[in-house]
Amino acid sequence: MDVDLERLKLHLENSPLGVIEFDDKFQIILWSKNAESIFGWTSEEVLGNRYDQFQWVYENDLEEVTALHSDNSPKGNSNIHINRNYRKDGTVIICEWFNSTLVDSNGSIISQQSLVRDVTEHIRRGELLKVNEFWLRDTQRVGRLGSYDLNVKTNSWVSSEIMDEIFGIEQNSEKTLESWNSLVHPDQREEMLHYFMNHVIGQKQLFNKEYKIIRARDGAVRWVWGLGELKFDVEGNVTNMIGTIQDITERKQAEEALKESEEKFRAIFENNSAAIAIIDPDTTISMVNDAYCQMGGYSKQEVIGMSWTEQIPPEELERLMEYNRLRLIDPNSAPDKYEFKFYHRNGEVKYGLMSVNMIHSSGKIVASFTDITERKNAEQQRIKYSEDLKVSNATKDKFFSIIAHDLRSPFNTLIGLSEILAHDIDSLSKDDIIECSRNINSALRKQYELLTDLLNWSRLQTNNFELNSDTVVLRDEVNKVIGALNLTAKQKGIEIINSIEDGVTVFADVNMLRLVLRNLITNGIKFTNKNGSVALSAAKKDNFLEINVADNGIGLVKSDVMKLFNNDHYSTYGTLNEKGTGLGLLLCKEIIEKHGGKIWVESELNKGSKFIFTIPIFPPLPT
């Protein structure tokens, strides 16, 4: 008996399970070494205590455990139960209990013996496995991604539930290389079999291919993406290929729809008669159509990658850049249609009308352009014609005003003097007749001068006037004009000085040049006091000769200087009350400008005046 008891104790001590025994009042009377190992309490700490007298049973499981130990529980039977317990350090563990109740002949409880083991890790691994299986199955379902394992040696494969769904086959269907190839779309069967045998198996490469299948269940055409990796034995022979099959039908359909949409867009884009460009947020041109290239003179290779700012003149760039900046902040803050100037590839400045739309998701701008150069030129021509018409009308009015006043008024004097000669000549002395004749001659000369200026001026106002320019030796022409004006100058004791060097030439219409020189020298004589001087000099300025006609006469105030060349028919009396036509300086201005030169005056009251004009030295270059 003692040997048997010792043997039993030895078994209990060496059992991998914890051994615990309770008396009829559920006080602990046995606590094995393995029980100490499982729960952390020593036998000295727990013997004599009820299970509920220390924090051992997890609080949420206490009611259930108490029910198992109650007096109303079945007597003399066993049960297996799983509940949570605390270790001494507070850790929660999951325990599996094998409970047996020992009763006497009257059915009264003598003791309850329990075998217990810690199944925490086992439970957790099982739960994790379930979770992993859940995630694998459900993520495959969501991603339409199945998996397979092909045994190359046996020519058979196993597959996941989702892969079977993708191919529309049953789990127990025949799964061989031939059955897989029979599911491939007829258009690709030969291609796919060749790819597998030669590329994957033959060259030992990764299987990576998109292809079509005929789903077995309903005959639907589907797109799949197959990925597979080969496995090898120790000798380097292929044993298996494991991989995935993903249903990509929706993606391929979206790609086809996108491709079709892009083709339609490109057709509309390329065949549009309007010039269109797509511009990135950084101003880079990323796409243009043929009409754009025709409008700007560029090829697509030249313009794509270029910044649109390179095609805009500086005076336009700041305005357009500001529109662009505002549009990126708020598309409604900048105009969506406006006129602008741009450079053609040949450097010509042209006019365009731009319509702008922004793609909000990318910040790209779709701009369409219309070349309105002809329209703008027509508008500018119309404006010019309108301005020319105003000038022409003003010229006509001035012409008639001169005829009405300056040309008609002297005739009153002529008529009066001629009437005296006609009716009273017998009563006039010889001196009276000479005086009348001289006055008539003087008046007629002035009228002739005015009429000549009017005719020359009117000729210059018409577009039919053309210069007959040639190389002219300037000093010689100045001397000719001085010779014609010497008598007038001597009457006032005025010296005319020609300081222009010999051999200096200009390219000009000689008759027009003489007219300018005569008017300016005459003007100097007119406004210079007796014994004064008029001096002419010249200096080269680039491709022009700058000619000065300076006098030391009475000069002009600044307000009168401003009137000389502004078509106001300004005229005043000379130092001996000489009266001019008021057209001389206007004639000079018209002639010089037709030669491509400029004319201006520098004058100060009582200090004389200097009239300066430029005339080209060389003929213009051929265009």
Side-chain angles (χ1 to χ4, degrees), residues 17 81 110 118 156 216 218 220 360 394 424 430 441 453 458-459 523 531 539 582 617:
L17 304 178
H81 187 259
I110 297 173
D118 183 351
S156 63
D218 54 13
H360 301 294
D424 301 323
K430 183 178 179 181
N441 180 264
D453 283 350
S458 63
R459 283 178 60 211
N523 202 63
N531 303 317
I617 299 174

Side-chain angles (χ1 to χ4, degrees), residues 277-287 308 363-367 369:
I278 297 178
I279 302 170
D280 292 339
D282 65 355
T283 75
T284 301
I285 299 171
S286 59
M287 189 174 180
W308 63 263
K364 290 179 179 286
I365 290 173
V366 180
F369 307 88

Side-chain angles (χ1 to χ4, degrees), residues 138-203:
D138 282 43
T139 52
Q140 282 198 1
R141 188 181 306 280
V142 170
R144 302 298 298 152
L145 179 70
S147 55
Y148 65 88
D149 184 352
L150 169 66
N151 188 317
V152 176
K153 292 183 178 180
T154 64
N155 186 28
S156 63
W157 46 276
V158 293
S159 53
S160 68
E161 176 186 346
I162 303 304
M163 180 166 165
D164 292 343
E165 288 184 13
I166 292 172
F167 281 110
I169 59 177
E170 301 297 331
Q171 186 68 36
N172 58 359
S173 298
E174 181 186 22
K175 296 178 180 179
T176 63
L177 183 61
E178 292 74 23
S179 67
W180 164 76
N181 195 239
S182 69
L183 295 169
V184 176
H185 193 282
D187 293 346
Q188 290 185 279
R189 282 176 187 165
E190 184 176 348
E191 172 196 348
M192 291 306 298
L193 187 59
H194 182 272
Y195 173 77
F196 177 75
M197 296 304 298
N198 291 275
H199 178 80
V200 179
I201 301 298
Q203 299 180 29

Side-chain angles (χ1 to χ4, degrees), residues 426-486:
D426 294 334
S427 61
L428 295 175
S429 65
K430 183 178 179 181
D431 290 339
D432 290 334
I433 293 172
I434 292 172
E435 181 65 23
C436 280
S437 298
R438 284 176 176 170
N439 288 334
I440 289 172
N441 180 264
S442 177
L444 285 174
R445 285 183 178 277
K446 289 178 180 179
Q447 290 305 98
Y448 178 78
E449 181 184 346
L450 175 60
L451 185 60
T452 300
D453 283 350
L454 277 172
L455 290 174
N456 285 324
W457 182 55
S458 63
R459 283 178 60 211
L460 289 169
Q461 306 307 307
T462 67
N463 292 327
N464 294 326
F465 177 82
E466 291 185 5
L467 295 174
N468 186 20
S469 296
D470 202 349
T471 300
V472 176
V473 179
L474 182 60
R475 181 178 176 82
D476 294 348
E477 297 306 322
V478 169
N479 284 334
K480 291 177 184 178
V481 174
I482 291 174
L485 297 175
N486 257 335

Side-chain angles (χ1 to χ4, degrees), residues 206-269:
L206 185 74
F207 187 105
N208 186 355
K209 198 79 167 176
E210 293 179 358
Y211 58 98
K212 289 187 292 183
I213 64 169
I214 304 292
R215 191 162 58 194
R217 182 177 65 252
D218 54 13
V221 177
R222 307 292 292 178
W223 275 94
V224 296
W225 176 25
L227 278 175
E229 182 179 76
L230 297 176
K231 298 296 180 182
F232 305 91
D233 60 20
V234 293
E235 296 177 352
N237 299 312
V238 177
T239 59
N240 292 71
M241 184 173 76
I242 60 172
T244 59
I245 293 288
Q246 185 175 19
D247 188 333
I248 58 170
T249 305
E250 285 71 23
R251 193 198 82 192
K252 294 295 287 187
Q253 289 173 343
E255 288 176 357
E256 289 296 325
L258 179 61
K259 181 180 178 182
E260 182 179 352
S261 176
E262 287 177 345
E263 288 174 352
K264 288 180 179 178
F265 166 78
R266 188 171 292 278
I268 295 171
F269 183 83

